[in-house]
């Protein structure tokens, strides 16, 4: 009878607090290094935990693996970089490789799945915006039209 009875445990286990601390330490570490592609090994060393503990921590706290979390973080960094690009010399391939994406077809697929557009479109929008900004020059030293009326 006792096995048939459901009684969920609403108490937070001690391991929850430890796992949350690990995830929080990783987030803080990544925030301190916004321009660096960080590895799982670095995260394990920084948090003083094993790969398995890091895995369990991420899966139980935020529902995804640390590898997936890092990939999403790096994809967001690529998007930021592409959105701020200001010259034709910056290519999608160069920006992607800077952030640790070496397989461009997989990178493009992941990027499109996350942002619903190709990275080349993001870059094109940024470059077009820069072009429009440079072409816009308010005319100075012209008399105010209302002043002469």
């Amino acid at each position: 009878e006792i096995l048939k009875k459901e009684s969920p445990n609403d108490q937070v286990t001690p391991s929850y607090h430890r796992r949350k601390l690990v995830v929080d330490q990783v987030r803080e570490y990544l925030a301190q290094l916004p321009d660096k592609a960080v590895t799982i090994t670095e995260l394990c060393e920084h948090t003083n935990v094993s790969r398995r503990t890091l895995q369990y921590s991420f899966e139980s706290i935020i529902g995804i693996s640390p590898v997936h979390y890092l990939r999403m973080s790096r994809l967001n960094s690529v998007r930021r970089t592409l959105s701020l690009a200001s010259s034709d010399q910056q290519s999608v391939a160069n920006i992607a490789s800077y952030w640790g994406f070496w397989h461009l077809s997989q990178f493009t697929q992941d990027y499109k799945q996350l942002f619903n557009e190709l990275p080349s479109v993001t870059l094109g929008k940024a470059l077009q915006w820069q072009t429009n900004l440079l072409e816009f020059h308010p005319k100075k030293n012209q008399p105010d039209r209302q002043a002469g009326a």
Side-chain angles (χ1 to χ4, degrees):
E1 277 183 57
I2 197 159
L3 293 177
K4 292 180 182 181
K5 197 176 194 183
E6 290 186 23
S7 56
N9 183 358
D10 293 333
Q11 288 184 318
V12 176
T13 63
S15 64
Y16 171 85
H17 295 293
R18 175 69 180 130
R19 290 176 179 183
K20 175 120 176 52
L21 178 64
V22 168
V23 171
D24 290 345
Q25 286 175 334
V26 167
R27 286 179 167 167
E28 185 178 309
Y29 183 68
L30 293 175
Q32 292 172 1
L33 304 167
D35 294 337
K36 184 178 183 215
V38 178
T39 66
I40 295 295
T41 303
E42 286 178 73
L43 296 180
C44 289
E45 290 171 359
H46 177 74
T47 55
N48 295 314
V49 297
S50 68
R51 289 177 84 90
R52 179 172 286 201
T53 299
L54 189 68
Q55 180 83 18
Y56 288 156
S57 296
F58 269 81
E59 287 178 354
S60 66
I61 300 301
I62 59 176
I64 59 174
S65 72
V67 170
H68 190 186
Y69 184 85
L70 278 180
R71 185 180 306 116
M72 288 177 50
S73 176
R74 289 185 300 138
L75 284 168
N76 275 285
S77 295
V78 169
R79 184 171 178 84
R80 259 190 314 278
T81 305
L82 289 171
S83 297
L84 297 173
S86 60
S87 78
D88 292 331
Q89 295 176 349
Q90 291 181 307
S91 70
V92 170
N94 288 342
I95 292 169
S97 64
Y98 175 82
W99 287 104
F101 294 101
W102 308 110
H103 302 285
L104 293 181
S105 60
Q106 183 64 52
F107 158 74
T108 301
Q109 182 180 348
D110 292 345
Y111 188 96
K112 184 168 184 183
Q113 184 178 359
L114 185 59
F115 301 114
N116 204 28
E117 73 178 10
L118 293 171
S120 57
V121 171
T122 305
L123 179 60
K125 287 178 183 177
L127 295 176
Q128 184 61 48
W129 186 83
Q130 289 290 328
T131 301
N132 292 344
L133 186 64
L134 293 174
E135 289 176 357
F136 177 75
H137 295 287
K139 297 182 180 182
K140 295 179 182 179
N141 301 325
Q142 283 195 355
D144 188 7
R145 291 183 186 186
Q146 292 179 352

